[in-house]
Amino acid sequence: NKMSADPYARGKGPDQLSLDELEEPLIDAEVRPGQLLYIPAGFPHTTHTQEGSREASVHLTVGLDTHIWGLDYAFVRELALRRQKQKTLFHLGGADRDATALEKSVYLSLLQPLPLGFLSSSLLSHEPATASRLERAEADVQAIVNTMAEALAAKMKAAEPDRFVDEVSVLVDSLDLRSACAHIVLHYRKVMEIQRRMYLDGKHALTPAPSSLARAQNYMSLLDGVMQDLLNWSAGAAGPAAVTQAVPAVATGGGIKTG
């Protein structure tokens, strides 16, 4: 009932995943022009052109990359513990281990996506209509941060009950989980803004580049920088004081307005 490897990293980067390791496919489908096939994250898959076909085959993958951009509870846990100068490994069975040593249900719970974007809809806009737009925005962010921090504390207790014995509310304060959650909300906004501009630029060719791939690489560098900013904060660097501030302008070389 344990995970032997990160399911979201199988067959990627240094991880080698051969077809011999896989069981019979759950789905063996022929996808025709205009059709979509949903494959949940963590499910290995392969594609190929039908044997004997003389036509080229191209497919487009659209992913909800919460895991890649650190938008899950496991990553926020790591940020919070690093900020507090505490170990990020899990103390299990008298030894420090990585997350794959956790019970499967606990492991997958930590990889759940954060309540951001459309996943936060149930938490928003409880302020009266008379409140200003800024007041409603601040209340919405606070509701998301509080919910996220309490859920994170509960997940940390479930993963390491002997290490985190305090009540959820005490753990939220002692590890300053609200601060980590507030920074991840700002991080999410930056990631989404850069990606929005990247897709606009890809569609309308707003910046000079020899190819769409070269144009996208500029934005990927910006995304890498945003990830590094968050890691720097976890290592002790100063961060922004307010989450409701505007997302800083991202240089695009022209064409995309930041207002």
Side-chain angles (χ1 to χ4, degrees):
N1 197 29
K2 301 288 195 304
M3 306 297 296
S4 60
D6 181 351
Y8 295 146
R10 296 303 331 262
K12 299 178 181 178
D15 184 82
Q16 299 296 317
L17 181 63
S18 68
L19 293 177
D20 294 337
E21 296 180 64
L22 304 177
E23 299 177 355
E24 289 298 314
L26 298 174
I27 298 175
D28 186 358
E30 179 181 353
V31 181
R32 297 184 174 277
Q35 293 182 329
L36 300 175
L37 177 62
Y38 170 67
I39 302 175
F43 282 76
H45 55 280
T46 63
T47 61
H48 65 87
T49 303
Q50 288 284 10
E51 293 184 10
S53 174
R54 296 183 178 180
E55 296 181 357
S57 176
V58 177
H59 74 276
L60 175 66
T61 299
V62 179
L64 301 176
D65 294 328
T66 55
H67 189 62
I68 292 176
W69 302 116
L71 302 176
D72 56 35
Y73 285 98
F75 188 70
V76 187
R77 170 193 174 276
E78 187 172 332
L79 291 176
L81 291 176
R82 282 183 176 175
R83 183 74 176 182
Q84 297 300 317
K85 304 295 190 292
Q86 295 195 26
K87 62 183 180 183
T88 59
L89 289 173
F90 296 83
H91 194 71
L92 305 168
D96 290 338
R97 305 175 186 275
D98 65 22
T100 58
L102 294 168
E103 294 294 328
K104 182 177 180 180
S105 61
V106 176
Y107 177 87
L108 294 178
S109 174
L110 283 169
L111 291 182
Q112 285 182 337
L114 301 171
L116 299 167
F118 67 87
L119 295 179
S120 68
S121 59
S122 63
L123 307 175
L124 305 182
S125 299
H126 297 298
E127 287 294 298
T130 55
S132 69
R133 181 177 179 181
L134 179 60
E135 289 172 334
R136 291 196 300 272
E138 290 176 343
D140 287 345
V141 168
Q142 197 60 54
I144 292 171
V145 166
N146 288 339
T147 299
M148 194 186 304
E150 291 172 3
L152 175 59
K155 292 174 188 293
M156 292 173 70
K157 286 174 60 66
E160 298 178 274
D162 294 334
R163 178 182 180 185
F164 300 116
V165 298
D166 293 329
E167 295 295 326
V168 164
S169 59
V170 176
L171 194 59
V172 167
D173 292 335
S174 63
L175 294 179
D176 198 14
L177 297 185
R178 291 190 184 87
S179 180
C181 292
H183 279 81
I184 207 72
V185 171
L186 182 57
H187 168 73
Y188 156 78
R189 291 182 173 182
K190 291 179 178 179
V191 167
M192 295 303 296
E193 177 62 11
I194 293 172
Q195 291 195 347
R196 182 186 71 84
R197 295 174 184 183
M198 178 173 65
Y199 288 119
L200 281 175
D201 201 356
K203 180 179 180 180
H204 300 292
L206 300 173
T207 57
S211 67
S212 58
L213 178 60
R215 189 175 291 110
Q217 286 176 337
N218 294 331
Y219 290 94
M220 297 306 294
S221 295
L222 292 173
L223 288 168
D224 288 340
V226 167
M227 287 294 294
Q228 189 59 53
D229 287 344
L230 195 57
L231 293 174
N232 291 344
W233 174 83
S234 73
V243 180
T244 51
Q245 68 181 22
V247 176
V250 178
T252 63
I256 301 178
K257 297 181 179 180
T258 59

